[in-house]
Amino acid sequence: MSNIGLSEFADKLNEIIPILMRGLARQQANELFKGKITLPQFLILEFLQHKGESTMTSLAKFMGITPAAMTGIIDRLVKYSYCLRKYETQDRRVIKIGITPKAADLLKRINQERRQMVIKVFGKISEKDRQDYLRVITKVKEIVSKENGSPR
């Protein structure tokens, strides 16, 4: 590919990313893409799995939404038995949210399927291209995380 300006690069990415997302979504047969859980619900479950029990306020901050909106999402996750609420014994106003074994199993299945899909797709690309891709996407993640103040 010849040298292109930043505007043309942005245009090409805007063209490629939706096609890439649709193609990767078609390859995944997991619960996330079957509509059993939403992307925000999945992100919350992953956050809880990595960070452990969290307050509604910290979850809302992570997702960039209001605590009231987070309550609605958590209500559905509790209804589906993916999350549970734990009240602090010293201050019952403080509620911690944790994941259930059912959610941990769901995340494990989704991540295993996603891993297999990555192996299938990237197995058709040279090792050098995979290394280059990983290097660039890691830099992009670092920039986005820094700008958004993300914990991961």
Side-chain angles (χ1 to χ4, degrees), residues 30-32 36-38 40-50 52 73-74 76-85 97-112 114:
N30 62 40
E31 285 80 355
L32 182 61
K36 291 188 179 176
I37 65 168
T38 65
Q41 290 169 340
F42 175 73
L43 295 173
I44 291 165
L45 292 176
E46 273 206 323
F47 177 85
L48 289 169
Q49 185 177 46
H50 287 94
I73 295 171
I74 295 299
R76 286 185 291 283
L77 288 170
V78 168
K79 178 182 173 186
Y80 302 143
S81 302
Y82 291 132
C83 283
L84 36 89
R85 291 182 170 95
I97 308 300
I99 65 169
T100 64
K102 179 180 176 182
D105 289 343
L106 174 70
L107 290 172
K108 184 177 179 182
R109 281 195 318 271
I110 289 172
N111 287 322
Q112 285 173 339
R114 199 167 43 177

Side-chain angles (χ1 to χ4, degrees), residues 102-127:
K102 179 180 176 182
D105 289 343
L106 174 70
L107 290 172
K108 184 177 179 182
R109 281 195 318 271
I110 289 172
N111 287 322
Q112 285 173 339
E113 287 183 25
R114 199 167 43 177
R115 182 176 189 274
Q116 288 303 313
M117 187 246 348
V118 167
I119 289 169
K120 179 180 175 185
V121 171
F122 283 88
K124 298 173 183 172
I125 297 171
S126 74
E127 183 177 352

Side-chain angles (χ1 to χ4, degrees), residues 9-76:
F9 176 80
D11 292 342
K12 287 193 179 293
L13 272 185
N14 280 336
E15 180 184 317
I16 293 168
I17 288 175
I19 294 166
L20 182 63
M21 290 174 65
R22 277 193 309 271
L24 293 175
R26 275 191 216 110
Q27 293 206 17
Q28 288 191 303
N30 62 40
E31 285 80 355
L32 182 61
F33 290 98
K34 289 179 186 171
K36 291 188 179 176
I37 65 168
T38 65
L39 182 58
Q41 290 169 340
F42 175 73
L43 295 173
I44 291 165
L45 292 176
E46 273 206 323
F47 177 85
L48 289 169
Q49 185 177 46
H50 287 94
K51 299 293 181 183
E53 292 178 355
S54 297
T55 63
M56 294 291 273
T57 304
S58 62
L59 288 170
K61 184 178 178 184
F62 166 71
M63 293 296 292
I65 60 176
T66 65
M70 181 55 64
T71 298
I73 295 171
I74 295 299
D75 284 346
R76 286 185 291 283

